[in-house]
C-alpha cells in the first residue's frame, strides 16, 4: 500500500480517492504513508494483537477506525 501511495506522489496527482471519506490531496497521501510506516514499526515491536492494538491507540489516540485496527491486528497476529 505504501508503494501505491508513493506512486501517487510521483505522479503528482491533484485528487486522490483512497477512503470512504472525502477526496484527498497529496498532503493526505503523505500523512497516510507516515501512518502506515509507523504502524509497521509498532507491529514489529509487539508480540500479540492486543499489545499491537494498545500500542497503536497510545501512539494515535484520536484514531477513529477501530474496525480497521481490529482487521490489521488480525493480519499481523493471526
Amino acid at each position: 500500500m505504501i508503494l501505491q501511495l508513493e506512486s501517487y506522489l510521483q505522479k503528482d496527482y491533484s485528487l486522490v480517492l483512497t477512503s470512504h471519506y472525502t477526496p484527498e490531496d497529496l498532503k493526505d497521501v503523505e500523512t497516510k504513508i507516515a501512518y502506515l510506516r509507523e504502524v509497521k514499526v509498532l507491529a514489529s515491536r509487539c508480540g500479540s494483537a492486543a499489545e499491537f492494538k494498545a500500542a497503536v491507540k497510545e501512539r494515535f489516540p484520536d484514531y477513529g477506525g477501530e474496525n480497521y485496527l481490529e482487521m490489521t491486528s488480525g493480519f499481523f497476529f493471526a
Side-chain angles (χ1 to χ4, degrees):
M1 181 178 249
I2 292 171
L3 290 175
Q4 183 178 16
L5 291 170
E6 286 175 337
S7 77
Y8 299 168
L9 295 175
Q10 292 169 354
K11 294 174 184 175
D12 199 30
Y13 289 153
S14 59
L15 176 67
V16 180
L17 304 171
T18 63
S19 68
H20 300 289
Y21 302 108
T22 60
E24 299 170 312
D25 59 23
L26 294 181
K27 183 172 173 85
D28 298 310
V29 170
E30 290 171 344
T31 299
K32 285 180 186 255
I33 291 169
Y35 171 80
L36 290 170
R37 286 186 174 142
E38 181 66 17
V39 165
K40 284 177 61 176
V41 168
L42 293 172
S44 72
R45 295 178 181 161
C46 295
S48 70
E51 185 181 352
F52 170 71
K53 288 187 283 188
V56 172
K57 287 178 184 181
E58 181 178 331
R59 175 66 178 85
F60 300 98
D62 296 328
Y63 180 79
E66 186 75 29
N67 57 330
Y68 290 113
L69 181 55
E70 189 67 34
M71 287 187 297
T72 302
S73 67
F75 295 142
F76 286 148
F77 303 94

